[in-house]
Amino acid sequence: METKIYQITSQAAGSDIIKQAASVIRSGGLVAFPTETVYGLGADATNPKAAGKIYAAKGRPSDNPLIAHICSYGDLSDIAADIPPEAKMLADMFWPGPLTIILKKQSSIPYETTGGLDTIAVRMPAHPVALGLIRASGCPIAAPSANTSGRPSPTLASHVAEDLDGKIPLILDGGEVGIGIESTIVDLTENVPTILRPGYITEAMIKEAVGQARTDPGILCADAAIRPKAPGMKYRHYAPKAELVIVDGEASAVIQKINTLVKQQQSQGRQVGVLGTDETRGAYQGAVFRSIGPRKDEEGIARHLYRVLREFDADHVDIIYSESFFTPGIGQAVKNRLLKAAAHQVLRV
Ligand code: AMP
Ligand code: MG
């Protein structure tokens, strides 16, 4: 299959390109498109065959459900049932935006879309191209991240092409995404709103909106006995091809430790990468160094994370040592993704 890539500006949300993309969605095909979090791989969420194509293109395990994207709050009741008041409170506060809400599903949504679950994940994205595409398609769009399963999520259209060229008909290229990390997922089918995946919207922000919130214990630790509730969170994910190890501690001790490790690895003939910040550029000897940006720019770190992990693939390194960037806000989402990419290998110094 030939994959077409069309550049599209946010102003062109009602254009012929959108109409063409919407007709692909309506006829059961796949379209990759930009959202404010990461690029999504979209299909008609009400069409079981179309949803099935997403799993095939991504190589995604069939028990890993998809997020359905809508363009107006009024469309929520078409796909979700038993909607509690908290859903409206969260939507008023954070939609359109990087928050996904889990609710009971309606019969309009097939089990192919929900990975066999009776619940559905729903989000209204804050990107004019995404909203324009959903509106023009006239259906909710199921869209997981547009990467091959297990790889870092795409923050540029070129990342989508790297993974899915020849497997999907169309990629809408809207440039670099704004946030760079997938949406926060909050489950409203539990007694207390429960965060199943951390993101830009933090637990504190959700507490402020609805009075209470907690985080699924299954995503905070490496203990395989505690299973995360979001099926997707149990797989190794976001990973570069090389082994990744996080070195956490006071800055000068981290630099010293990484330099020692680099020397050891090189003496065994291995190519080493180091993931640091603008401040530590020049601090490491003999490794391929990549900066994630200035340390104080939390949002920049989130936005650059997946791109930098992909760049290490092109460097053909065997192992990557990463500094840690675990600040309290979106840094917690960065921590979650980096720990998963590293399969929880952390050296504390
Ligand atoms: P992605 O869009 O690729 O970032 O993946 C969607 C994430 O949402 C995965 O981690 C899924 O496991 C999770 N998810 C989607 N639907 C549900 C659901 N009904 N219940 C729990 N988690 C879900
Ligand atoms: Mg994903």
Side-chain angles (χ1 to χ4, degrees):
M1 177 185 305
E2 190 209 346
T3 302
K4 292 199 182 94
I5 305 179
Y6 292 143
Q7 286 184 357
I8 181 159
T9 62
S10 293
Q11 290 78 25
S15 68
D16 283 347
I17 294 176
I18 289 283
K19 283 181 197 146
Q20 202 178 316
S23 80
V24 173
I25 297 281
R26 271 198 305 272
S27 63
L30 303 184
V31 176
F33 61 95
T35 81
E36 81 279 29
T37 58
V38 300
Y39 274 77
L41 179 61
D44 178 352
T46 65
N47 178 338
K49 264 198 181 153
K53 286 183 189 169
I54 291 180
Y55 290 89
K58 282 179 59 84
R60 184 178 178 99
S62 62
D63 70 343
N64 190 3
L66 310 175
I67 296 173
H69 294 74
I70 57 175
C71 65
S72 94
Y73 187 80
D75 295 341
L76 183 61
S77 55
D78 295 341
I79 61 176
D82 301 345
I83 301 169
E86 285 81 6
K88 179 78 167 70
M89 289 152 86
L90 289 172
D92 282 346
M93 198 81 162
F94 301 115
W95 280 4
L99 181 72
T100 295
I101 301 176
I102 309 278
L103 296 162
K104 282 257 177 64
K105 81 169 190 71
Q106 284 280 14
S107 54
S108 61
I109 296 295
Y111 284 111
E112 282 77 0
T113 297
T114 66
L117 298 176
D118 286 311
T119 52
I120 175 85
V122 192
R123 179 166 102 85
M124 191 194 302
H127 193 294
V129 172
L131 290 170
L133 178 62
I134 301 163
R135 192 164 295 122
S137 301
C139 58
I141 294 186
S145 49
N147 52 304
T148 297
S149 208
R151 299 262 297 139
S153 297
T155 57
L156 291 165
S158 60
H159 297 162
V160 181
E162 251 170 52
D163 285 10
L164 300 178
D165 188 39
K167 296 182 175 170
I168 60 173
L170 185 56
I171 299 171
L172 301 180
D173 178 358
E176 192 187 32
V177 299
I179 292 177
I181 285 203
E182 302 85 345
S183 58
T184 305
I185 300 179
V186 62
D187 185 353
L188 293 186
T189 67
E190 302 261 355
N191 289 332
V192 176
T194 303
I195 293 175
L196 305 187
R197 177 173 73 183
Y200 185 84
I201 309 288
T202 61
E203 185 180 305
M205 290 157 82
I206 292 172
K207 263 193 188 136
E208 189 157 329
V210 295
Q212 53 176 353
R214 61 174 203 124
T215 296
D216 179 10
I219 59 174
L220 296 174
C221 61
D223 184 349
I226 306 179
R227 280 169 75 91
K229 188 171 176 194
M233 300 302 279
K234 69 177 185 266
Y235 299 106
R236 182 175 187 233
H237 208 315
Y238 319 113
K241 290 176 182 151
E243 180 183 353
L244 176 67
V245 178
I246 301 165
V247 183
D248 185 31
E250 194 265 316
S252 60
V254 168
I255 291 171
Q256 210 179 10
K257 181 71 182 175
I258 291 181
N259 273 322
T260 306
L261 291 164
V262 170
K263 270 209 200 106
Q264 278 170 6
Q265 292 290 343
Q266 285 182 325
S267 70
Q268 293 163 36
R270 300 180 87 196
Q271 292 279 353
V272 189
V274 173
L275 175 52
T277 62
D278 285 2
E279 291 79 4
T280 54
R281 194 183 289 284
Y284 300 100
Q285 285 86 49
V288 176
F289 177 84
R290 292 197 172 273
S291 170
I292 199 162
R295 182 164 281 278
K296 64 177 182 309
D297 180 9
E298 264 196 291
E299 298 198 354
I301 287 173
R303 190 164 57 247
H304 300 147
L305 176 67
Y306 291 141
R307 173 177 55 75
V308 175
L309 291 179
R310 277 179 183 263
E311 285 169 357
F312 276 119
D313 289 348
D315 295 332
H316 300 290
V317 294
D318 302 300
I319 185 161
I320 302 162
Y321 293 106
S322 175
E323 297 175 11
S324 63
F325 324 97
F326 302 162
T327 52
I330 195 170
Q332 291 304 297
V334 170
K335 178 177 182 177
N336 168 262
R337 307 310 193 270
L338 203 56
L339 282 172
K340 282 181 69 71
H344 287 267
Q345 293 192 83
V346 183
L347 295 174
R348 297 220 159 70
V349 293

